[in-house]
Amino acid sequence: MIVAGAGIGGLSAALSLHAAGIEAIVIDSSATLRPLGVGINLMPHAVRELTELGLGGELEATGIPTAEMVHFDRHGNRIWGFASGRNIGYRWPQYSIHRGELQMILLGAVRERLGPGAVRTGTAFVSFAESPAGILVRVRDRASGTLSVLRGDVLVGADGLYSQVRAQLHPGEPPPHWGGVMMWRGMAEGAPFLTGRTVAVAGTNAALKFVAYPISRQAERRGRALLNWVAEVKLPGRASVRDADGNRADWNRQGRLGDVLPWFADWKFGWLDVPALITGAPRILEYPMVDRDPLPSWGSKPSSGPGRVTLLGDAAHPMYPIGANGGSQAVLDARVLAWSLACALSSSGSPAEGLAAYERARRETVNAIVLACRDMPADRLLQTVSTRAPGGFERIEDVLSTAELAAFDQAYRSTTLPDVAALNSRPSLTVTSR
Ligand SMILES: Cc1cc2nc3c(=O)[nH]c(=O)nc-3n(C[C@H](O)[C@H](O)[C@H](O)COP(=O)(O)OP(=O)(O)OC[C@H]3O[C@@H](n4cnc5c(N)ncnc54)[C@H](O)[C@@H]3O)c2cc1C
């Protein structure tokens, strides 16, 4: 199997395929894989999958097992909190973790288990050609520009937001869709706040929102916190996602302190000094919150029957990074893909049938999450709070009724979290024998 893209999804796919007894190689266009990005949340359903891949110990040693997620208004007054991970009854924690460190954990495991040559960097996917006998993948060596061909049974496009595999499957798609929210992201070391393991969300996506959470177990062991922050600003007047130099939306785009700090200059809560946190970040990243419309199909459809090409992770379903679903859903895709392929190979021997089963299991479910992230019901209630109590409040019960608070709780659980009992009791996706 050929996996295009060595991000969270592609590397999880390689590990999952290997664990299911299926050979895989991964190509990535980056010259070297470096621990890029800032914080990301892995929800318990994804942590379960990575734990069953044998990575539970490394996650525990690296990330912070999130204790709770708490919403505040823009003045830092507490609206509502939700227990997280094991605290709410899951058998697996939720982890707040550095995206680059997570990628390096996955990369190390792939190289150790599949061999040092299993991940080919500096190798960009260019195009594919498919026949009933297999798949030919044209790749370009980034250093020399040389084109060559790889042969395999299946191609998995895990090549992210600007997936070239997706572009060949769905030519003419418009650029990513932008809802008008600009995100600035950074990290700074500071004193732990609240429980020391809290994800704090203040404000709303209708105007200004600030998210902060600790992501490093190493800093925690020293009595400190490596705080990841995300500052989101709705920019209704701005039409383009490109920056002043014309750069498109990119997770690694450089941001500027002067663009973000003024929006949050007076956000000083008793428990968190937002401007100090923003100013303390050695590097600021800027990312317009973009997604793509859900696809009607992920797989190729040659005239001979089901195809040998599919999509996974952001290549299949880029979504707004609210609700902590981007990385988690990519991990789930990877595990279901390997499971479906292994089942098909041991029954009919047809990898194409395995890909079709994977798409049936995942596409509609994840497409619904993409749409839910565009209009989170919980965010609507946060807007209600800011409209009713723009200057803040003493007691949330004076602002939201008991029924509205219950609706808030329910809205959060239904759009972001899997059912506790269902996840705890669902059979494993680990393939035991083939
Ligand atoms: C550099 C970077 C930083 C990020 N930082 C954050 C962050 O701080 N917070 C957050 O929530 N999310 C971040 N993300 C996004 C997050 O990783 C994804 O939303 C999620 O984990 C799903 O992962 P994925 O593997 O589908 O996509 P990605 O993690 O985006 O991985 C896609 C991979 O495909 C490779 N690729 C692209 N084109 C080609 C090609 N033609 N041929 C071969 N390989 C190709 C890329 O180099 C990349 O390694 C970041 C992504 C990247 C690439």
Side-chain angles (χ1 to χ4, degrees):
M1 312 285 153
I2 300 169
V3 180
I8 307 305
L11 293 171
S12 300
L15 286 172
S16 306
L17 290 166
H18 173 75
I22 301 169
E23 274 181 40
I25 63 154
V26 187
I27 58 167
D28 199 283
S29 51
S30 308
T32 48
L33 292 170
R34 291 178 295 127
L36 299 176
V38 288
I40 198 168
N41 268 283
L42 277 179
M43 303 310 265
H45 45 355
V47 174
R48 171 177 182 176
E49 300 311 329
L50 294 178
T51 303
E52 292 184 359
L53 282 171
L55 300 175
E58 283 184 83
L59 293 180
E60 195 184 333
T62 309
I64 295 287
T66 314
E68 59 173 5
M69 177 170 183
V70 186
H71 284 279
F72 301 85
D73 71 357
R74 54 92 62 231
H75 305 283
N77 299 308
R78 183 185 171 106
I79 297 173
W80 194 249
F82 313 88
S84 300
R86 287 210 169 103
N87 289 352
I88 200 177
Y90 290 113
R91 285 168 53 204
W92 301 269
Q94 171 182 334
Y95 284 114
S96 300
I97 190 167
H98 188 291
R99 179 217 173 250
E101 290 186 359
L102 171 63
Q103 190 185 17
M104 293 302 117
I105 290 173
L106 296 168
L107 178 64
V110 171
R111 288 193 165 139
E112 189 185 308
R113 298 176 193 182
L114 282 72
V119 180
R120 301 187 195 172
T121 53
T123 307
F125 166 85
V126 176
S127 63
F128 68 81
E130 174 166 21
S131 76
I135 191 103
L136 300 179
V137 176
R138 252 163 43 110
V139 297
R140 175 176 287 111
D141 180 82
R142 258 185 56 147
S144 64
T146 315
L147 288 172
S148 58
V149 172
L150 302 174
R151 288 162 205 279
D153 289 330
V154 156
L155 168 66
V156 180
D159 47 344
L161 177 62
Y162 296 103
S163 168
Q164 291 302 304
V165 180
R166 176 172 174 143
Q168 184 172 345
L169 289 167
H170 298 276
E173 257 199 303
H177 161 267
W178 186 41
V181 174
M182 186 63 77
M183 294 166 60
W184 287 272
R185 295 141 51 231
M187 295 179 298
E189 191 168 303
F193 68 85
L194 300 177
T195 63
R197 293 180 170 185
T198 299
V199 174
V201 182
T204 87
N205 275 129
L208 301 173
K209 184 170 171 184
F210 193 83
V211 182
Y213 53 87
I215 55 171
S216 166
R217 199 58 174 263
Q218 205 205 2
E220 190 187 65
R221 278 191 225 104
R222 288 186 281 110
R224 302 284 286 163
L226 181 62
L227 296 175
N228 177 79
W229 58 262
V230 188
E232 302 174 13
V233 180
K234 180 102 179 174
L235 297 171
R238 185 160 153 184
S240 172
V241 296
R242 291 187 180 267
D243 68 9
D245 300 321
N247 296 312
R248 65 183 184 175
D250 177 340
W251 282 103
N252 223 24
R253 189 162 104 184
Q254 186 74 35
R256 291 183 307 197
L257 180 66
D259 286 341
V260 56
L261 186 60
W263 297 100
F264 298 92
D266 62 344
W267 286 43
K268 293 185 184 184
F269 314 145
W271 49 274
L272 189 72
D273 184 332
V274 171
L277 192 54
I278 295 175
T279 314
R283 186 167 182 229
I284 293 177
L285 298 166
E286 178 187 89
Y287 183 74
M289 208 190 263
V290 293
D291 69 0
R292 288 185 187 274
D293 285 336
L295 286 175
S297 66
W298 288 351
S300 56
K301 293 205 169 29
S303 51
S304 51
R308 292 172 174 269
V309 183
T310 195
L311 299 172
L312 180 148
D314 280 6
H317 45 70
M319 57 184 76
Y320 290 168
I322 42 181
N325 264 303
S328 300
Q329 294 300 329
V331 171
L332 289 175
D333 287 351
R335 290 281 283 171
V336 175
L337 172 74
W339 168 267
S340 306
L341 269 172
C343 292
L345 289 173
S346 62
S347 56
S348 67
S350 160
E353 281 181 19
L355 297 193
Y358 155 69
E359 182 172 334
R360 279 196 302 278
R362 294 292 296 151
R363 185 170 49 78
E364 285 189 16
T365 306
V366 192
N367 281 351
I369 297 173
V370 172
L371 296 177
C373 286
R374 284 186 184 174
D375 183 23
M376 294 287 257
D379 211 64
R380 268 183 262 138
L381 280 158
L382 294 172
Q383 288 165 36
T384 306
V385 174
S386 67
T387 311
R388 290 184 193 163
F393 57 84
E394 293 276 318
R395 289 169 9 106
I396 188 60
E397 293 78 10
D398 299 333
V399 184
L400 292 179
S401 67
T402 310
E404 284 171 323
L405 283 170
F408 193 6
D409 195 75
Q410 182 51 32
Y412 173 73
R413 286 181 208 291
S414 61
T415 41
T416 303
L417 290 171
D419 181 75
V420 175
L423 177 65
N424 286 349
S425 60
R426 156 170 86 58
S428 170
L429 289 167
T430 297
V431 177
T432 43
S433 63
R434 239 184 9 101

